[in-house]
Amino acid sequence: MLERVKAALPALPPAEQRVAKLLLADARSFANLPVSELADRSHVSKPTVVRFCRSVGYDGLADFKLKLAGSVNEGVPFVHRAVDEDDKPGDVIVKVVDNAVAALLHYRNDAASHAFERAIDALADSARHNKRIEFYGVGNSGIVAQDAQHKFFRLGVNTVATSDGHVQLMSATMLQPGDCAVIISNSGRSRDLLDAAEIARKKGATIIIITASASPLAQLALGPGQILLAVDHPEDFDRYSPMVSRLLHLIAVDILTTGVALKLGQHLRPVLQEIKKNLRAKRYAG
């Protein structure tokens, strides 16, 4: 959470930067002080404090302080212990599981609910109007994009997943207003994904980006109508195949899928029941 604020600091207005610096200087006190005291200490107005919370991806001061208190007071362990070459299998088990659990707990506290709300509304609206929903990712993130497509098409949504850079560019070119492009990236620096995101934006589609908050790809989601679902973690993506980031991206996809399913309502139930019926018939045929 604090890393996200640090990454966003240069882009904030001067008054909101003062609030951010107060937070970074003493996060524990920030979580417990009333808005009037925060405003006085930052030399800004009370509405500026609230605007700062929204600028960095939260619903307002109450939501921000709730997540901040969870980060600084719950004592959730978040020591990313890298796997070493001389680790025994038992050490690898402990490190991989501990890293995953800690990352998930921190993401629970850091995830911006209002950004997810906007993303779910956009995806559900596209689904209702039979618009296109496309998932783009390359490498490991391409696998997450395929998982997202698999989950969404079961909801009766017009959706595809592409991991080839050339296909992404062609597909993004055919997007229209009302369509959604969900772009998933661990590093947020893939040239193919940056190009596809820029084309989708120019075509008027809503861009939903799942990536690290300080990345170039995340910057494309700061414009009007675009949505950033920030996923930050201490994993070194240059050394090993990403593990924690993949789990966090899959969790983000699951949140979106569940939210859209709830938005689309009860008419989904007959479709899902029919899918299960046909799968059972195929499984036990012969």
Side-chain angles (χ1 to χ4, degrees):
M1 188 171 183
L2 297 180
E3 290 301 317
R4 181 185 304 178
V5 173
K6 289 179 184 177
L9 186 61
L12 294 173
E16 293 181 26
Q17 286 187 11
R18 292 199 291 274
V19 182
K21 290 175 182 177
L22 177 68
L23 164 70
L24 296 174
D26 190 352
R28 193 177 297 275
S29 294
F30 193 101
N32 296 307
L33 289 173
V35 63
S36 57
E37 183 70 16
L38 293 173
D40 287 343
R41 293 191 181 191
S42 304
H43 305 292
V44 300
S45 65
K46 288 187 284 188
T48 298
V49 176
V50 177
R51 283 196 298 272
F52 157 75
C53 297
R54 290 176 177 160
S55 294
V56 293
Y58 296 88
D59 291 342
L61 181 61
D63 180 49
F64 183 86
K65 291 178 71 173
L66 178 65
K67 300 290 179 61
L68 180 63
S71 294
V72 299
N73 293 330
E74 285 183 0
V76 177
F78 204 175
V79 178
H80 185 82
R81 297 188 292 170
V83 177
D84 297 317
E85 293 177 358
D86 58 349
D87 280 342
K88 296 179 174 60
D91 298 323
V92 174
I93 291 171
V94 170
K95 287 184 177 182
V96 170
V97 173
D98 283 357
N99 288 341
V101 171
L104 291 173
L105 288 173
H106 270 262
Y107 188 62
R108 178 198 65 186
N109 291 333
D110 287 353
S113 58
H114 95 284
F116 270 100
E117 182 178 2
R118 290 176 58 212
I120 289 167
D121 285 343
L123 291 166
D125 191 58
S126 293
R128 289 192 193 99
H129 295 91
N130 200 31
K131 292 289 188 175
R132 297 168 62 188
I133 296 176
E134 305 205 341
F135 297 94
Y136 302 157
V138 296
N140 194 71
S141 297
I143 298 172
V144 179
Q146 291 176 11
D147 178 76
Q149 190 272 339
H150 179 263
K151 288 183 168 71
F152 268 77
F153 97 93
R154 294 179 65 217
L155 305 180
V157 174
N158 181 15
T159 180
V160 297
T162 59
S163 57
D164 179 273
H166 291 86
V167 176
Q168 288 168 356
L169 293 183
M170 291 186 289
S171 190
T173 302
M174 293 185 286
L175 292 174
Q176 300 177 358
D179 295 332
C180 287
V182 182
I183 302 173
I184 306 164
S185 175
N186 179 27
S187 69
R189 291 173 171 81
S190 166
R191 185 70 260 169
D192 287 343
L193 294 178
L194 286 164
D195 291 342
E198 182 62 24
I199 291 172
R201 183 189 66 80
K202 290 179 179 178
K203 300 301 289 188
T206 297
I207 304 173
I208 301 169
I209 295 179
I210 303 174
T211 193
S213 59
S215 66
L217 191 56
Q219 300 304 308
L220 292 179
L222 299 180
Q226 317 310 329
I227 304 165
L228 172 64
L229 302 179
V231 176
D232 296 304
H233 56 84
E235 186 173 57
D236 182 358
F237 55 82
D238 290 325
R239 184 174 180 188
Y240 294 112
S241 175
M243 294 178 282
V244 169
S245 64
R246 182 182 67 247
L247 292 176
L248 295 178
H249 290 165
L250 289 169
I251 285 290
V253 167
D254 282 351
I255 294 169
L256 293 175
T257 307
T258 303
V260 171
L262 293 173
K263 285 280 185 182
L264 296 182
Q266 293 297 317
H267 77 276
L268 285 175
R269 184 166 297 176
V271 176
L272 295 177
Q273 288 174 340
E274 185 175 3
I275 290 174
K276 290 180 180 179
K277 173 185 172 183
N278 291 336
L279 287 174
R280 282 196 300 268
K282 179 176 177 61
R283 187 176 303 133
Y284 298 114

